[in-house]
Each structure stands twice: as structure tokens, then as C-alpha cells.
């Protein structure tokens, strides 16, 4: 039997009495790119951490079964013991950095392994060339873009020459172009160096074209097989798979290219029909920002932006990493710095108000929702939000219950799932009833059903009279949520208009359905049109 690659044999793992992995057996062959699929909270991160010994060495819990990588036993070893065997890259690469400079970070693992200076320099130079980091080799890590930081994290994991690389949502913080750079790098590692790659990712539409095989983790069990077969049976799948199911295409296709080849019949069925158009909100102007400028040390992040929005609008703020989206959101909310320009929400400048009054004008859910959460329990968090928002006791808890079911109010916020934590942060923000709601990358860590539920909630808030502005790299979420898209580049607005027109004109920001059926943005739009015309269900 070939023991190369990653092998799980009857692996069971549980925290206390709750099993996360239940008698799991699979093999990822040497030099294969394998995609790990599963709903939010299914245990994907736990499975990945088990490959390099983080689970159970640093998490606790009980484990049975056998895990090997390249024939070597993993259980009983720490990540440091396995550094030359398994490289691990977590969701937030910056959290794993131990130095301040690119070259020092790449050399750190080699130093820990005791390589002599000449061998270390050679190894670091090889990694720099392999990952295209020559231009940033002498920079500090905080001067890099998100995509560059992700490649440095991969490089640091590769310096030890591991046989396998496991990655947890490596593109979650990246714009589409930066995500393609990282995934192309991983594809090259598989094909040129024979590294075994096991990768978990919720934005499946980005990854499937690179994967050789897939694993579905559902209810603690793992199903392994070709990508198409696994996604056909998966509760989470990219839009083209859902489109294929709707149209009855065999397979179903898992890439845009395959879907386009299968689509002529569907295009014919949709001929003469037009996608639904969002009505332009006719509510009063709520947000009026003129000439907003934000300067950070050595960088102009936002450069004279004008943005006017009415109640009822749903706006997606898009652009590459570093284009100024987050800086603009914080400037609009009033907490962030503003070097110039004016902002008025309902006629008042949030920056000129006290924090409590500011939150009642403009609420912001940051990219890390946990940054808003400080209490020891969900109940205490809700009570504090009621007090801060001068709302009747129980207001925040009711909003949370409307957003997500089954949250135990005795739970510590850090023990919630990504979706539950986002819902709690959103409930805390909404308790003050701000007319302007701002969210920064809210879909990180959410699967497709979670993103669809979030889009529905935000649409309902807009219909109730809020103005909702979401900064996002997630083109599929944008297609579900937005009525209007504003694209930033180098701190300036370069496009602003109806979502269908703006995303259709941009290959980078177009959703999968639009690439297959021009003019249509979502599977839901197609399904509604077919049902109305009697051509499908």
C-alpha cells in the first residue's frame, strides 16, 4: 500500500462529548490538489489542524485512529516536530507571523531547523523565486497587500520543504485577482514540486478549477471522490453547480467553461425574457459624503470620494485589496480618520457626535465581528447593547433571535460559529437602530446558505428604510444582495451604477451565472424566469 500523501484511518475526534470527526477514513495521494468542502461549523478547520498536530496537541479533546503524512505518523507529535513534513496556513496569515520583515519571516523556520546560513539563504531565495516575491523581499510585512502576505505565509510554510501543505480559507480576505494569484501558486507547487495540497474554502467558485479531487465533511463523516461527484452531493456548491442542477445538466458542470458548453438549451429557454430589475429607491437622501479624503502614514487611502445614498439603497463597495474600502467605511461612520471632506448622515456629521450618538446615526460591523464583542456571554453582550443603545431590555436579544436561531445566551461569543458571531455583532449594531448600516467583508467564514440568509436579512433591512453599504470581495454575495455597486481603485470611485450593469462590465467582478448567461446574475433569477414561463421548476 502506498503511504505517500495524507492518510486518515478511522479517525474520530471530539471536544468533550461532541464528535467533530466520526470514524473518518480517506487518502489524498502525493502531489494532488484536494478541496475540502463543508458547511460552516462542519469541522473543516479541525480536520486540517489534525494533519499537522495542532489538534489535539493545542486544542484538547480526544482522538482515536491513525493519521500519516508521507508514511510518517502524525499523532503524538507537535506542529514543530512536523514542520519538515506538514506546512499549515491559517485563515489569517498575519496571526501566524513571528517577525516584521519578509525575508526574516521566510528564514525563521529554517533557523529553527538548524540549517547553516548558506543553505538557509539558498532555500529562501528558491522560495522567493517560486512564489514571485522578489519585488517585496526587502519590505516589512505591514507594507504588503493581502495577497502578498498570503504568499509570504505560504512561503514560510514551504521553507522546511514539507511533503504536504494544508490551508484554511486562504482566499477569504482577497480580491478575485489576488485570489487567483495565490491559487495559481498552489497549483504550481502541486505540479512542479509534487507537494500535496489540502485546502478548505467557502468560495468554491474560485477553487474548483484547480482541484484534482474533493472531500465532503458532513455530520462528522467524510465522502471522497472526483470534484464533480462530491459537489453534486454537497449541501454547499458553487453557483454553476446549482445552475446545472436546475437545468438538469449531467455531471453537473463545476466550472464556468463546462457550464457555458452545456448552456445553449437554457439560453434558448430564456430567450425573450429579461432578468428582474431593482427599482431605484425613491426615499430621501440619507448619506451625503463630499470630497472625503483619508490619509494614513505615507499613503492616501481615500482620495476625494463623493457618495450620496438614499434610504432603502443596498450598495456593494468593491475594489482590489488596498483600494480604500475599509478606510472609507470608517470615515463614513465617524470613528475612523478623515483628512478632508464632509460627511452628513441625516444632516449630521457622525464624527462630531459622541460615540453613543454616533452609533445611533451609523453602525459599522467590522471585518472581524469579534472586535465589537467584549462580554463573557451572549446574554451580557445583548444587555450591554440595550443599555448603550438606550433600548428597552430584550431588544438586542430579540433582533438576534430574528437573525439566527438556536443561540444559547450563556455561550461565550468566541465559542459561536462564524455565522452566529456575525449575527450577534449585527444585532448589537442594530439595537441602536442606525439608519445607515455599514458592513466590512461580512461573508468571511460563511458558506453559501449563510451568505444567502445574510443577503435576505440585509434586503429586509433596506426595505424597512435603512441604507446598507457593504464592502466585499465576494462577487456571488454582491449578485444576491446589491442593487448598486461602487468600485474603488487607488482611493477613488471608478464606477458607480446599477449592480447588473457594473458587474457585467467587469470580468473580475462578474458572478458565475452572468458569465454563463449574460445579463442574469443569480440562479434564483433563472429559476423564477423558468417557472414563470413553464420551462422548469
Amino acid at each position: 500500500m502506498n503511504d505517500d500523501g495524507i492518510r486518515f484511518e478511522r479517525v474520530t475526534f471530539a471536544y468533550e462529548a461532541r464528535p467533530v470527526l466520526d470514524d473518518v477514513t480517506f487518502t489524498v495521494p502525493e502531489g494532488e490538489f484536494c478541496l475540502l468542502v463543508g458547511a460552516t461549523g462542519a469541522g473543516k478547520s479541525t480536520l486540517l489542524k489534525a494533519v499537522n498536530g495542532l489538534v489535539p496537541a493545542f486544542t484538547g479533546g480526544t482522538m482515536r485512529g491513525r493519521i500519516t503524512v508521507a508514511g510518517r505518523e502524525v499523532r503524538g507529535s507537535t506542529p514543530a516536530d512536523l514542520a519538515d513534513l506538514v506546512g499549515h496556513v491559517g485563515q489569517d496569515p498575519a496571526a501566524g507571523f513571528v517577525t516584521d520583515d519578509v525575508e526574516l519571516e521566510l528564514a525563521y523556520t529554517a533557523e529553527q531547523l538548524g540549517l547553516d546560513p548558506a543553505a538557509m539563504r539558498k532555500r529562501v531565495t528558491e522560495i522567493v523565486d517560486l512564489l514571485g516575491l522578489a519585488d517585496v523581499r526587502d519590505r516589512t510585512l505591514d507594507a504588503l497587500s493581502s495577497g502578498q502576505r498570503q504568499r509570504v505565509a505560504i512561503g514560510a510554510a514551504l521553507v522546511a520543504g514539507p511533503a504536504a501543505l494544508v490551508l484554511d480559507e486562504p482566499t477569504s480576505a482577497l480580491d478575485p485577482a489576488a485570489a487567483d494569484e495565490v491559487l495559481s501558486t498552489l497549483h504550481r507547487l502541486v505540479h512542479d514540486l509534487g507537494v500535496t495540497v489540502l485546502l478548505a474554502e467557502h468560495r468554491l467558485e474560485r477553487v474548483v478549477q484547480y482541484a484534482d479531487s474533493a472531500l465532503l465533511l458532513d455530520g462528522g463523516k467524510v465522502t471522497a471522490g472526483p470534484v464533480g461527484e462530491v459537489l453534486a452531493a454537497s449541501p454547499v456548491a458553487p453557483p454553476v453547480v446549482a445552475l446545472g442542477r436546475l437545468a438538469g445538466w449531467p455531471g453537473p458542470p463545476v466550472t464556468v467553461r463546462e457550464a457555458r458548453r452545456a448552456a445553449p438549451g437554457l439560453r434558448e429557454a430564456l430567450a425573450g425574457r429579461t432578468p428582474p430589475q431593482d427599482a431605484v429607491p425613491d426615499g430621501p437622501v440619507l448619506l451625503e459624503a463630499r470630497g472625503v479624503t483619508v490619509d494614513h502614514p505615507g499613503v492616501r487611502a481615500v482620495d476625494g470620494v463623493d457618495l450620496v445614498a438614499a434610504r432603502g439603497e443596498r450598495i456593494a463597495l468593491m475594489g482590489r485589496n488596498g483600494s480604500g474600502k475599509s478606510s472609507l467605511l470608517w470615515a463614513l461612520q465617524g470613528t475612523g480618520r478623515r483628512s478632508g471632506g464632509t460627511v452628513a448622515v441625516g444632516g449630521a456629521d457622525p464624527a462630531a457626535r459622541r460615540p453613543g450618538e454616533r452609533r445611533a446615526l451609523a453602525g459599522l460591523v467590522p471585518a472581524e465581528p469579534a472586535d465589537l464583542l467584549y462580554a463573557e456571554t451572549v446574554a451580557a453582550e445583548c444587555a450591554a447593547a440595550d443599555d448603550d443603545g438606550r433600548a428597552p431590555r430584550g431588544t438586542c436579544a430579540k433582533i438576534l433571535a430574528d437573525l439566527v436561531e438556536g443561540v444559547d445566551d450563556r455561550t461565550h461569543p468566541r465559542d459561536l460559529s462564524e455565522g452566529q458571531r456575525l449575527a450577534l455583532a449585527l444585532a448589537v449594531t442594530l439595537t441602536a437602530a442606525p439608519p445607515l448600516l455599514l458592513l466590512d467583508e461580512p461573508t468571511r467564514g460563511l458558506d453559501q446558505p449563510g451568505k444567502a440568509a445574510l443577503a435576505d436579512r440585509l434586503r429586509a433591512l433596506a426595505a424597512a428604510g435603512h441604507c446598507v453599504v457593504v464592502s466585499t470581495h465576494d462577487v456571488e454575495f454582491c449578485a444576491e444582495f446589491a442593487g448598486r455597486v461602487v468600485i474603488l481603485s487607488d482611493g477613488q470611485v471608478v464606477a458607480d451604477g446599477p449592480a447588473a450593469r457594473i458587474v457585467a462590465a467587469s470580468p473580475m467582478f462578474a458572478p458565475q451565472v452572468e458569465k454563463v448567461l449574460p445579463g442574469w446574475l443569480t440562479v434564483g433569477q433563472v429559476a423564477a424566469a423558468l417557472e414563470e414561463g413553464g420551462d422548469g421548476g
Side-chain angles (χ1 to χ4, degrees):
M1 182 183 297
N2 186 354
D3 284 329
D4 291 342
I6 300 170
R7 186 175 184 83
F8 277 51
E9 298 177 60
R10 307 206 66 175
V11 174
T12 295
F13 175 76
Y15 296 108
E16 298 179 352
R18 182 176 66 88
V20 180
L21 305 177
D22 184 7
D23 199 28
V24 167
T25 296
F26 67 84
T27 299
V28 181
E30 176 189 11
E32 184 149 301
F33 192 133
C34 182
L35 173 62
L36 177 60
V37 181
T40 299
K44 300 186 298 298
S45 295
T46 297
L47 189 152
L48 294 180
K49 290 175 181 176
V51 178
N52 80 325
L54 278 167
V55 169
F58 289 93
T59 62
T62 57
M63 178 177 281
R64 298 194 307 273
R66 185 168 185 252
I67 302 172
T68 59
V69 178
R72 221 165 101 191
E73 185 78 36
V74 168
R75 283 190 61 197
S77 301
T78 66
D81 298 331
L82 300 168
D84 65 328
L85 186 68
V86 184
H88 179 271
V89 182
Q91 294 181 5
D92 179 7
F97 291 151
V98 294
T99 73
D100 297 323
D101 300 291
V102 171
E103 189 152 7
L104 290 177
E105 187 65 33
L106 294 175
Y108 177 80
T109 302
E111 288 178 344
Q112 300 306 300
L113 293 173
L115 293 184
D116 66 79
M120 187 169 20
R121 282 194 297 273
K122 179 175 181 294
R123 184 74 59 84
V124 168
T125 298
E126 289 171 348
I127 296 298
V128 165
D129 291 341
L130 178 69
L131 300 182
L133 295 170
D135 291 342
V136 301
R137 181 172 185 164
D138 298 324
R139 292 191 194 175
T140 59
L141 291 166
D142 60 7
L144 303 184
S145 70
S146 296
Q148 290 166 336
R149 280 197 295 270
Q150 192 67 269
R151 279 186 282 156
V152 170
I154 293 170
L158 287 173
V159 164
L165 191 62
V166 294
L167 304 101
D168 196 355
E169 301 237 20
T171 75
S172 64
L174 304 183
D175 63 65
D180 279 342
E181 291 174 6
V182 168
L183 293 169
S184 296
T185 296
L186 296 173
H187 190 255
R188 191 162 62 251
L189 294 175
V190 169
H191 286 264
D192 293 352
L193 301 183
V195 176
T196 305
V197 170
L198 177 58
L199 178 151
E201 180 62 69
H202 279 308
R203 298 185 186 179
L204 299 174
E205 66 278 359
R206 293 179 167 184
V207 188
V208 289
Q209 61 182 310
Y210 298 98
D212 302 309
S213 61
L215 304 173
L216 170 61
L217 179 57
D218 188 17
K221 303 289 188 181
V222 166
T223 303
V227 178
E229 290 181 14
V230 169
L231 291 180
S234 173
V236 291
V240 289
V241 172
L243 190 66
R245 292 171 181 164
L246 174 69
W249 296 335
V254 298
T255 67
V256 168
R257 183 185 186 193
E258 293 170 352
R260 287 178 64 87
R261 290 174 172 174
L266 184 54
R267 292 195 193 103
E268 185 176 336
L270 293 171
R273 299 175 194 167
T274 57
Q277 302 296 315
D278 269 300
V280 177
D282 57 0
V285 170
L286 174 68
L287 168 67
E288 186 168 5
R290 299 290 183 185
V292 174
T293 300
V294 177
D295 291 317
H296 298 301
V299 177
R300 173 150 289 186
V302 180
D303 188 8
V305 165
D306 294 337
L307 183 63
V308 178
R311 287 181 177 271
E313 284 207 75
R314 309 183 313 278
I315 301 172
L317 192 62
M318 306 188 79
R320 294 200 62 165
N321 293 104
S323 60
K325 302 185 299 298
S326 296
S327 294
L328 177 59
L329 287 187
W330 282 103
L332 296 178
Q333 196 269 341
T335 301
R337 68 174 69 199
R338 191 169 83 221
S339 308
T342 61
V343 175
V345 178
D349 184 350
R353 298 301 180 96
R354 295 175 181 175
E357 297 172 332
R358 185 183 304 146
R359 289 192 295 270
L361 277 176
L364 191 150
V365 179
E368 295 295 340
D371 290 348
L372 288 184
L373 309 175
Y374 301 100
E376 296 294 316
T377 66
V378 171
E381 202 69 67
C382 287
D386 291 339
D387 293 340
D388 292 343
R390 299 179 182 178
R393 186 53 59 95
T395 300
C396 182
K398 184 180 185 308
I399 294 172
L400 178 62
D402 289 341
L403 291 173
V404 63
E405 297 178 355
V407 176
D408 187 337
D409 64 5
R410 298 166 296 180
T411 305
H412 195 291
R414 71 165 174 256
D415 294 328
L416 299 175
S417 71
E418 292 283 352
Q420 290 171 331
R421 197 156 44 241
L422 174 63
L424 177 58
L426 189 55
V428 166
T429 302
L430 288 173
T431 299
L436 177 62
L437 184 60
L438 310 164
L439 296 94
D440 194 1
E441 288 293 340
T443 64
R444 290 180 63 182
L446 295 184
D447 56 22
Q448 278 92 346
K451 289 190 283 191
L454 177 62
D456 288 343
R457 292 166 190 152
L458 296 181
R459 292 174 75 96
L461 288 169
H466 295 265
C467 174
V468 185
V469 182
V470 176
S471 165
T472 183
H473 293 131
D474 192 331
V475 297
E476 303 301 337
F477 176 75
C478 173
E480 294 283 352
F481 154 76
R484 173 182 169 192
V485 171
V486 177
I487 297 180
L488 293 184
S489 178
D490 296 325
Q492 298 181 336
V493 174
V494 294
D496 182 354
R501 174 168 62 82
I502 297 297
V503 299
S506 170
M508 180 185 296
F509 297 118
Q512 283 195 318
V513 172
E514 208 283 333
K515 292 176 180 177
V516 177
L517 304 169
W520 301 81
L521 299 186
T522 69
V523 177
Q525 289 179 350
V526 176
L530 294 179
E531 187 171 343
E532 182 180 323
D535 292 316

